[in-house]
Amino acid sequence: MTEAPARRLHWYEHIWVNANWFALTLRAQVLAGLVVPLLVQNYVGEAQKGSYYGTIRLWALMMAVLTQALFGLLSDHYPSRWGRRRPFVVIGTLAEVVVFALMAWVAGLSGMTGFYLLLVLYLLSMLASNYSQGGTQGLIPDVVPPDQRGTTSGVKMLLEIPLPLVLVGLVIAPMVSQGRIGLALAVTAAGMLVCMALTLLVHEESSLGTTTPIDWKPLLSLVWMTVVFTAIILGLGWVVKVVMAALGSTSRLVLSLIGVLAMVVAVIAGIFGSLAVHSDPTVRRSHPFIWWTISRLAALVAVNNIASFLLYFLQDKFTLPAQEAVSLAGLLPMVLGGFVVLFGLVAGWLSDRFDRRWMTALGAGIGALGVVVIVLGPSIAWMYVAAAIIGLAYALFNVASWALGTDIIPTERAGEFLGLQNLAGAGAGAIGAYIGGSIADHTGYVWMMVMFGVMFVLSALTVLWVKEARPAG
């Protein structure tokens, strides 16, 4: 097993190691939270926007399930005088900047032609961003000593959530609400290039002559894992549509219960089914890793899709026009980010001193409380309260969960294992969007939020099945 890094980081190096997480969140929030749902609504209309948006998210995120793990594996074995992680950040970032330029042109189109071109470009964007993330996620295990990883994860949280959300809320969302999508994408690209430059400052040793040959067998496993996971989501989505058609006119509660059941099955069966076809028995027998991934998947189904469908939810709950909803959809994540700033470093301190399983479960429980406020809050002011609560929840959950993950994976295969957990990151968006989107077209988006609250509860329960957990300090 590769030895853990012994060199301790200076305070500013925590920023360099995590700089590209800022870029990855920035592009995700701009695309998934604002640009893509708005363009889909423009292309297909109000009545079917949930289903079409769910479809575009499904295929983009299933590509991420495959490519991020693939690129993580390639990064583990990449020989370079610049180290094995940073070249992936540079190439992925530059490629996505090119895609953004094409996307700005597509924004001026209409109808199904615009939708299908957007689908292609969104797939290419996910390919480029996951190439970058494949290298980024291996930096903490590679260069940060174990007793500093809680703090580094806290800094990761600050750069991953609050700061990009402030930029989106104050600068980019107003551009999108005014129809200046090309300018919004240009500002996003500029931010990503700055983060790429900061990542190049990371003290990463040359990997020339130190890497081992790649075992290409896992690639077949990755393909099968993606096929299995996608088949499970598509199958459950088909079952949901058949059941809804058979029931005809029924209550929103019944439809929501169907959606919750389908999501729970997709989360648990998706992870167990996908990892079961992996060729490496070490992965198949790694039960702590499996339950950790299920817990992350359940929580991220909630977090990712609350953000992705926030625009539609605000239009539904408060009957807002698109322009006003876009502005609010940019401001609410800013409040969330502010509370992540207030609690992010505290969350890192807590995760270094207490059982990371319980800290992760507590974060998910607080998230469920935030969803209660989202659903029952009678005014827009209450949405700001909900954003604050979910900000606290996400800070604690993600810091503790990520630190827990770095404890239970083999260090020498960190890129591969953390790439495999993209089943949680990418699969979350796919499950919530594809299954939840089709239901929301019939129930509305308030009931969709109820379903995401249940996912927080599932996350809190399943993380307690991770048996090999310990405080770092």
Side-chain angles (χ1 to χ4, degrees):
M1 178 176 289
T2 302
E3 293 184 1
R7 178 183 175 274
R8 296 187 64 78
L9 270 61
H10 299 289
W11 66 268
Y12 50 83
E13 291 181 284
H14 293 284
I15 298 174
W16 298 347
V17 167
N18 290 300
N20 204 51
W21 291 113
F22 178 102
L24 293 168
T25 296
L26 177 65
R27 52 85 50 200
Q29 184 65 25
V30 171
L31 293 183
L34 298 175
V35 172
V36 174
L38 184 61
L39 291 179
V40 168
Q41 180 173 292
N42 292 342
Y43 293 149
V44 306
E46 290 284 339
Q48 295 180 299
K49 64 184 182 182
S51 296
Y52 275 96
Y53 182 54
T55 298
I56 203 172
R57 288 283 288 167
L58 169 68
W59 293 111
L61 292 169
M62 285 300 97
M63 171 177 279
V65 170
L66 172 63
T67 58
Q68 191 181 124
L70 167 61
F71 296 146
L73 175 64
L74 294 177
S75 178
D76 283 343
H77 300 272
Y78 187 71
S80 167
R81 60 179 298 221
W82 299 101
R84 55 182 182 165
R85 309 300 185 186
R86 291 177 296 172
F88 284 76
V89 174
V90 172
I91 295 171
T93 300
L94 295 178
E96 189 159 27
V97 168
V98 174
V99 173
F100 279 8
L102 296 172
M103 197 173 288
W105 170 72
V106 168
L109 303 179
S110 61
M112 295 308 296
T113 298
F115 174 81
Y116 287 117
L117 287 175
L118 177 65
L119 171 60
V120 171
L121 289 177
Y122 197 31
L123 291 174
L124 292 175
S125 173
M126 294 299 290
L127 181 68
S129 68
N130 280 285
Y131 195 87
S132 175
Q133 187 169 338
T136 302
Q137 64 196 9
L139 284 173
I140 291 179
D142 276 7
V143 305
V144 182
D147 64 343
Q148 285 190 298
R149 288 176 184 170
T151 300
T152 307
S153 295
V155 175
K156 172 182 178 290
M157 175 59 58
L158 295 177
L159 290 172
E160 191 176 18
I161 297 299
L163 295 182
L165 296 184
V166 169
L167 178 60
V168 170
L170 292 181
V171 179
I172 298 175
M175 295 175 183
V176 176
S177 70
Q178 296 165 11
R180 303 164 70 186
I181 291 178
L183 181 58
L185 291 172
V187 172
T188 303
M192 293 168 61
L193 291 171
V194 171
C195 293
M196 179 192 74
L198 290 175
T199 304
L200 290 176
L201 298 176
V202 172
H203 181 80
E204 190 181 5
E205 299 289 344
S206 169
S207 59
L208 291 175
T210 63
T211 58
T212 57
I214 297 177
D215 179 6
W216 292 102
K217 291 181 181 179
L219 295 185
L220 181 59
S221 295
L222 292 176
V223 173
W224 278 114
M225 287 168 62
T226 305
V227 169
V228 169
F229 204 7
T230 304
I232 289 172
I233 296 174
L234 287 173
L236 287 167
W238 177 80
V239 169
V240 166
K241 292 175 181 177
V242 168
V243 171
M244 286 194 299
L247 291 175
S249 178
T250 187
S251 72
R252 295 182 177 185
L253 175 60
V254 171
L255 293 177
S256 299
L257 289 174
I258 293 170
V260 165
L261 179 60
M263 288 185 188
V264 170
V265 173
V267 166
I268 297 176
I271 296 301
F272 271 104
S274 299
L275 294 180
V277 300
H278 197 285
S279 62
D280 188 347
T282 301
V283 174
R284 298 197 301 269
R285 293 196 300 261
S286 183
H287 296 294
F289 175 75
I290 292 172
W291 284 110
W292 173 74
T293 305
I294 288 173
S295 173
R296 284 186 63 82
L297 173 56
L300 293 176
V301 166
V303 172
N304 290 359
N305 289 288
I306 288 173
S308 295
F309 285 94
L310 182 60
L311 175 62
Y312 295 167
F313 166 76
L314 293 171
Q315 289 177 295
D316 182 25
K317 184 176 176 70
F318 299 107
T319 320
L320 297 177
Q323 182 175 351
E324 187 176 347
V326 166
S327 296
L328 187 56
L331 290 174
L332 286 174
M334 250 181 57
V335 175
L336 183 151
F339 276 82
V340 172
V341 169
L342 294 175
F343 198 63
L345 291 176
V346 176
W349 181 85
L350 289 171
S351 72
D352 279 343
R353 286 160 179 80
F354 298 98
D355 190 323
R356 288 167 178 161
R357 296 173 305 165
W358 287 102
M359 292 299 98
T360 301
L362 178 60
I366 296 172
L369 175 62
V371 173
V372 171
V373 177
I374 288 176
V375 172
L376 299 181
S379 67
I380 290 176
W382 279 98
M383 298 304 100
Y384 288 97
V385 175
I389 294 172
I390 292 179
L392 294 175
Y394 190 70
L396 182 56
F397 173 83
N398 208 34
V399 169
S401 176
W402 194 263
L404 174 62
T406 60
D407 281 345
I408 63 177
I409 62 173
T411 303
E412 73 278 6
R413 298 175 63 186
E416 180 186 353
F417 268 73
L418 292 177
L420 291 174
Q421 72 82 40
N422 193 47
L423 288 167
I431 290 170
Y434 189 70
I435 296 175
S438 61
I439 292 178
D441 281 339
H442 295 83
T443 66
Y445 292 88
V446 175
W447 282 99
M448 173 185 263
M449 295 298 159
V450 174
M451 293 186 280
F452 297 152
V454 176
M455 292 299 101
F456 271 128
V457 175
L458 178 64
S459 172
L461 295 175
T462 52
V463 74
L464 300 180
W465 285 82
V466 179
K467 300 302 183 182
E468 298 175 12
R470 53 174 173 75

